[in-house]
Amino acid sequence: MDDRTIARTQARLMRTAMSKAGLGTHELWLRYAHLGGEIGELELDAYLHHALYLSPRHRDCLARAANQLAPGSGVPCSRDLRPEEFPPDG
């Protein structure tokens, strides 16, 4: 899976998780910023609607924020969607 496809998948899963939890972009952005995120709320909204590409570093921080806000939602990090590049240890 290429990185653009991974980015779109993460965005879709994030939108779904936030919607099910009854949370909006602003709450996600606040948690992301608290975790050290560097993009603005407008950029986050654009990413969630597939209008802006974000690097894996930003996406993974957003995934952590979404998972904290909506426990059990299981929004994956980039490496979880690219297992062939990160084989299990052992």
Side-chain angles (χ1 to χ4, degrees), residues 67-85:
N67 288 327
Q68 287 178 8
L69 289 171
S73 61
V75 177
C77 286
S78 300
R79 71 180 289 165
D80 297 331
L81 295 170
R82 197 178 317 170
E84 66 279 0
E85 293 182 24

